[in-house]
Amino acid sequence: MGDNIAATNHHHHHHQVFDVSIDVPSQNGSKCFDDDGRLNRTGTVWTASAHIITAVIGSGVLSLAWAIAQLGWVAGPAVMFLFSFVTYYTSSLLTDCYRTADPVFGKRNYTYMDAVRSILGGAKVKACGLIQYLNLFGIAIGYTIAASISMMAIKRSNCFHESGGNNPCHMSSNPYMILFGVMEIFLSQIPDFDQIWWLSIVAAVMSFTYSAIGLALGIVQVAANGAFKGSLTGISIGTVTQTQKIWRSFQALGDIAFAYSYSVILIEIQDTLKSPPAESKTMKKAAKLSIAVTTAFYMLCGCMGYAAFGDFAPGNLLTGFGFYNPFWLLDIANAAIVVHLVGAYQVFCQPIFAFVEKQVAESWPDSYFLGKEFKIPFPGLLPYKLNLFRLVWRSCFVILTTVISMLLPFFNDVVGILGALGFWPLTVYFPVEMYIAQKKITKWSTRWMCLQMLSMACLVLSIIAGAGSIVGVVNDVKAYTPFKTTY
């Protein structure tokens, strides 16, 4: 204990010395830098919550009715509460890892990998980086596919409406994926995370819009049926075989787990917050608020969708054509999904962009191509700083995700596998291990045992969910030709 106090005092002293060196310019009236020499961060509970809600309420909300249909009225909501609790608990552990050693004055970790590096070190850093960036890459592809499906749903619902339901309206998803890619190339030129807060707020509003429409349509359908459909144990044997029921239940666990995971960008979001108060305090509030909102929404959308369609709940509530009318309302909902995914894609890709650009800048510090910024004036706005390397590399990244999406349009199952791979290590294992290391929790103590049991239980869930998704992919590949898939 004495050592700890001494270390803390030393740290405070060190911090003050550091402050003096940074605050020298402030004598000229400029106090716009944080304790680490970077520009003042301006994020608040509200911007952090908007980022989290944008990241969490993805199009995943629309598959929850299907997930609950596999599990039934008892297990479905129970699993959802379980995941929301685990996510909130582990994200609280993770917020304490933003600063090493001391929650107020400790050294900042700007990314998830930095936190793993400074607290755990060794091979774990590379493992974490690989899983994190693979996961983000997979999400970017999944979002490209989901957005194209929603764009096609708008076209199809209008086509159905015009032909009175006689025309099957088959179409290719490729042009829509290309259109989404073009939009992302433009938006990916926004330099960093701090500057996309407005995009997150627009995206968060959109996610509420389409979730609310899905919910309202579910309620109307239940009223029209005059009863709640569905059973306590989920989809009945007969509609599916015994084996299918097991695999689908596993996949449903996966769907719910991925619907909650945002730990992969939690520290990056935390790095946008201003202090005081300590960033971990603000981030815990934001996590509590956004997970409560998300869970309430998920419960309503998932349960009402299941109540409306029972065993036949579609995989995607708004594009699986559970509903055909009112078609204009479906169009609004699908347009909101597209706008939301356009923003969410950026939220998930910014960490990849930042990581690659930092590595490149460190490798070639004197390169003209990498460092030179051209100022492009915009009337009435601040001039935009164009960097050639950023323009080329980010555009190539978006093109790559678009081409892969066109090759594998059923990538949602593959993202399921990536999500299953990412859920346990990123949402549970690393936060728990870093927390144990930071708080110096004794091995085999009750607290240590409980944390390890939580970690093991989530590992088992991840393996089960991954197995369910792999079976889904194997079934999809059997009936598939590249670039030819129509819906």
Side-chain angles (χ1 to χ4, degrees):
M1 182 70 192
D3 286 352
N4 269 355
I5 293 167
T8 310
N9 286 344
H10 168 70
H11 202 92
H12 281 221
H13 173 67
H14 183 77
H15 179 76
Q16 284 155 359
V17 172
F18 188 53
D19 258 1
V20 171
S21 66
I22 283 230
D23 280 345
V24 173
S26 75
Q27 293 159 354
N28 310 335
S30 148
K31 194 155 170 62
C32 53
F33 293 99
D34 268 337
D35 57 3
D36 58 345
R38 296 196 174 188
L39 281 176
N40 268 341
R41 292 160 176 80
T42 53
T44 61
V45 169
W46 300 109
T47 60
S49 301
H51 281 316
I52 296 172
I53 289 170
T54 302
V56 178
I57 304 189
S59 49
V61 65
L62 301 170
S63 67
L64 291 177
W66 180 88
I68 290 183
Q70 312 314 310
L71 298 167
W73 281 120
V74 181
V79 167
M80 222 177 263
F81 273 124
L82 175 75
F83 276 115
S84 66
F85 171 73
V86 169
T87 307
Y88 172 64
Y89 180 67
T90 57
S91 57
S92 312
L93 301 184
L94 195 53
T95 55
D96 289 332
C97 302
Y98 172 62
R99 286 183 184 266
T100 312
D102 182 287
V104 182
F105 299 111
K107 176 187 163 296
R108 292 170 188 265
N109 297 307
Y110 302 119
T111 64
Y112 199 129
M113 257 177 97
D114 287 346
V116 175
R117 185 179 290 112
S118 65
I119 298 168
L120 299 175
K124 288 180 179 168
V125 182
K126 285 193 174 133
C128 162
L130 183 68
I131 296 164
Q132 182 186 5
Y133 294 118
L134 249 179
N135 207 353
L136 291 172
F137 184 66
I139 289 168
I141 294 168
Y143 278 6
T144 307
I145 292 164
S148 72
I149 290 172
S150 283
M151 291 184 210
M152 290 193 312
I154 296 175
K155 187 102 171 67
R156 284 181 70 189
S157 84
N158 294 334
C159 163
F160 271 123
H161 187 70
E162 282 160 16
S163 70
N166 300 325
N167 183 346
C169 303
H170 288 306
M171 60 187 73
S172 165
S173 56
N174 293 345
Y176 300 96
M177 291 188 186
I178 293 167
L179 180 64
F180 183 78
V182 169
M183 287 190 280
E184 292 306 339
I185 286 177
F186 278 105
L187 285 170
S188 66
Q189 298 310 312
I190 297 171
D192 60 27
F193 217 18
D194 250 0
Q195 294 167 29
I196 58 168
W197 59 269
W198 57 274
L199 198 58
S200 272
I201 289 171
V202 170
V205 169
M206 290 299 155
S207 62
F208 283 128
T209 307
Y210 67 72
S211 304
I213 292 174
L215 174 61
L217 290 171
I219 293 169
V220 169
Q221 184 74 34
V222 169
N225 297 342
F228 274 62
K229 289 192 175 181
S231 63
L232 294 179
T233 53
I235 196 163
S236 43
I237 308 292
T239 313
V240 291
T241 63
Q242 182 85 45
T243 325
Q244 278 176 319
K245 165 97 176 155
I246 294 168
W247 287 122
R248 281 167 155 230
S249 302
F250 288 175
Q251 205 176 339
L253 287 179
D255 279 6
I256 296 172
F258 319 137
Y260 273 108
S261 52
Y262 71 97
S263 305
V264 63
I265 51 169
L266 182 138
I267 287 188
E268 282 84 347
I269 294 173
Q270 196 169 344
D271 191 41
T272 63
L273 297 175
K274 63 179 174 198
S275 63
E279 298 87 354
S280 57
K281 268 192 181 158
T282 312
M283 196 64 191
K284 277 179 186 149
K285 276 187 200 157
K288 190 183 279 181
L289 175 71
S290 37
I291 290 175
V293 167
T294 305
T295 305
F297 241 79
Y298 278 5
M299 280 302 200
L300 287 167
C301 290
C303 294
M304 289 316 291
Y306 181 39
F309 296 108
D311 282 1
F312 301 101
N316 181 328
L317 202 54
L318 295 175
T319 61
F321 288 88
F323 303 109
Y324 289 96
N325 283 313
F327 80 103
W328 54 270
L329 190 62
L330 282 177
D331 290 353
I332 293 171
N334 280 306
I337 292 175
V338 175
V339 174
H340 170 246
L341 290 174
V342 166
Y345 183 100
Q346 288 304 318
V347 171
F348 279 103
C349 290
Q350 285 293 341
I352 301 183
F353 295 156
F355 174 72
V356 171
E357 282 154 30
K358 183 178 167 222
Q359 296 296 330
V360 170
E362 283 172 3
S363 306
W364 296 281
D366 304 323
S367 163
Y368 176 82
F369 175 65
L370 300 179
K372 177 71 178 150
E373 291 195 332
F374 300 93
K375 286 194 173 176
I376 301 173
F378 276 103
L381 294 170
L382 291 170
Y384 174 72
K385 293 175 181 165
L386 176 74
N387 173 294
L388 287 178
F389 172 69
R390 188 166 63 223
L391 176 69
V392 173
W393 128 250
R394 293 189 180 190
S395 303
C396 290
F397 175 87
V398 175
I399 291 166
L400 178 65
T401 58
T402 310
V403 170
I404 294 177
S405 308
M406 287 157 67
L407 267 171
L408 301 176
F410 50 80
F411 206 84
N412 281 353
D413 290 326
V414 181
V415 170
I417 297 171
L418 282 169
L421 284 173
F423 172 73
W424 175 70
L426 297 171
T427 306
V428 185
Y429 174 76
F430 285 120
V432 164
E433 290 300 308
M434 289 195 283
Y435 181 75
I436 288 173
Q438 284 251 70
K439 300 285 182 208
K440 302 189 172 45
I441 296 170
T442 331
K443 218 173 189 181
W444 306 114
S445 63
T446 315
R447 188 123 198 240
W448 187 88
M449 291 289 285
C450 292
L451 286 165
Q452 295 298 348
M453 277 158 64
L454 169 73
S455 187
M456 282 298 103
C458 291
L459 172 60
V460 171
L461 274 180
S462 256
I463 292 170
I464 287 175
S469 297
I470 289 169
V471 170
V473 171
V474 169
N475 291 338
D476 283 339
V477 172
K478 285 177 187 165
Y480 165 70
T481 46
F483 293 120
K484 287 275 186 284
T485 304
T486 54
Y487 288 85

